[in-house]
Amino acid sequence: MSYCVNCGVKLKNHSGSCPLCGTEVINPANPVNHAVQNKTLRQRETAEDSFDKTLWIKLVSIILAAPALLSITINGVFGNTLTWSLYTAASLWIAWVWLISPFLFQRNIAQRWIIIDAIALLGFLYLIEHLSASHGWFFPLALPITFFFTVLLLTLVILIRKKALRELHIAASLFTAVGLFCIFVNGVINLYKLQVFHLDWSLLILIPCIAFALIAVVLQRRRWIVDELIFWFLV
């Protein structure tokens, strides 16, 4: 049985790389066909490079613009004013932004398209409030909740991209973020409705989230448990 020289996890026969940390395996007793691996890698890179971002943006634009214009035309012809078609057009517009924002830049910079998507969502929610009969919920509810969610997501993405979090630390951070988000949403909603920051249902979500986060941290410190689990799932 072979072991990874970097993290010590058990390896299957003829493994080309460690399933846990990705370190290349060099085992004279079980040589790996690197030519096949290199060919597969080149094919994968070629497939990624062949993706036409401009064509994707054009196709998405045409596909989403057609029903938006059709709904506005029908609403304008058969109705005195534009009513329901504005909701349809706004929904298709935000779908367009979310689908093309990752492809607007030469490099796939997650932080930028997350901010773009958040701004588009806020614009959509503001339009919904403006068109609907109920007013006054955008600034006390939609704005702070969307802003807090965006900050949480950006923080996680930045920490992961800078490799500040290890494998199970990422899971622990996700559980913690879910718990904090529920606490924030619960508090903001009660503040809007009851004029007091009060927590109730969010505590039922926070407690298991914190428990799972602590379990992930403990497992990260006891790497041999994780290595054994990975090995038994992979064999």
Side-chain angles (χ1 to χ4, degrees):
M1 182 64 68
S2 301
Y3 297 87
C4 176
V5 296
N6 182 47
C7 64
V9 69
K10 294 180 181 178
L11 303 172
K12 295 191 295 184
N13 292 333
H14 303 289
S15 297
S17 61
C18 174
L20 181 62
C21 66
T23 302
E24 182 182 2
V25 176
I26 301 177
N27 189 348
N30 296 308
V32 179
N33 192 340
H34 293 284
V36 175
Q37 286 187 341
N38 293 334
K39 182 179 179 180
T40 303
L41 181 59
R42 286 195 300 269
Q43 290 175 346
R44 187 182 307 166
E45 292 175 350
T46 302
E48 292 175 356
D49 295 337
S50 62
F51 182 77
D52 193 336
K53 296 181 180 180
T54 303
L55 178 61
W56 169 257
I57 294 175
K58 291 179 179 179
L59 287 175
V60 171
S61 301
I62 294 173
I63 292 173
L64 296 182
L69 293 175
L70 180 62
S71 62
I72 290 176
T73 301
I74 294 175
N75 190 195
V77 171
F78 295 99
N80 295 326
T81 58
L82 296 179
T83 53
W84 59 267
S85 61
L86 295 179
Y87 293 96
T88 304
S91 301
L92 293 170
W93 170 76
I94 194 173
W96 178 81
V97 173
W98 286 353
L99 288 172
I100 72 164
S101 58
F103 307 101
L104 292 177
F105 311 101
Q106 293 296 327
R107 296 175 57 193
N108 188 12
I109 302 177
Q111 295 92 317
R112 290 184 182 179
W113 56 262
I114 289 174
I115 294 175
I116 292 174
D117 290 352
I119 294 174
L121 177 60
L122 287 174
F124 174 74
L125 294 175
Y126 183 78
L127 178 63
I128 296 299
E129 184 202 37
H130 181 72
L131 295 176
S132 61
S134 60
H135 297 284
W137 51 265
F138 175 80
F139 288 102
L141 282 179
L143 182 60
I145 290 175
T146 304
F147 179 78
F148 187 75
F149 177 79
T150 304
V151 171
L152 278 179
L153 186 58
L154 283 173
T155 302
L156 288 174
V157 169
I158 291 173
L159 291 176
I160 293 173
R161 291 176 70 90
K162 289 187 176 183
K163 299 181 179 180
L165 300 175
R166 304 180 67 180
E167 297 89 354
L168 291 178
H169 287 162
I170 297 177
S173 301
L174 289 174
F175 283 121
T176 304
V178 170
L180 291 177
F181 180 70
C182 291
I183 287 288
F184 186 83
V185 170
N186 188 195
V188 169
I189 292 176
N190 285 335
L191 185 62
Y192 173 73
K193 295 175 60 178
L194 308 176
Q195 304 301 317
V196 60
F197 190 87
H198 175 67
L199 301 178
D200 37 59
W201 58 265
S202 60
L203 296 175
L204 300 177
I205 300 177
L206 178 65
I207 293 174
C209 284
I210 296 299
F212 286 130
L214 292 175
I215 292 173
V217 172
V218 172
L219 288 177
Q220 182 64 46
R221 291 179 175 272
R222 303 293 187 270
R223 288 290 298 273
W224 63 271
I225 301 177
V226 180
D227 295 344
E228 288 291 334
L229 291 174
I230 293 176
F231 172 75
W232 286 110
F233 276 114
L234 292 177
V235 294

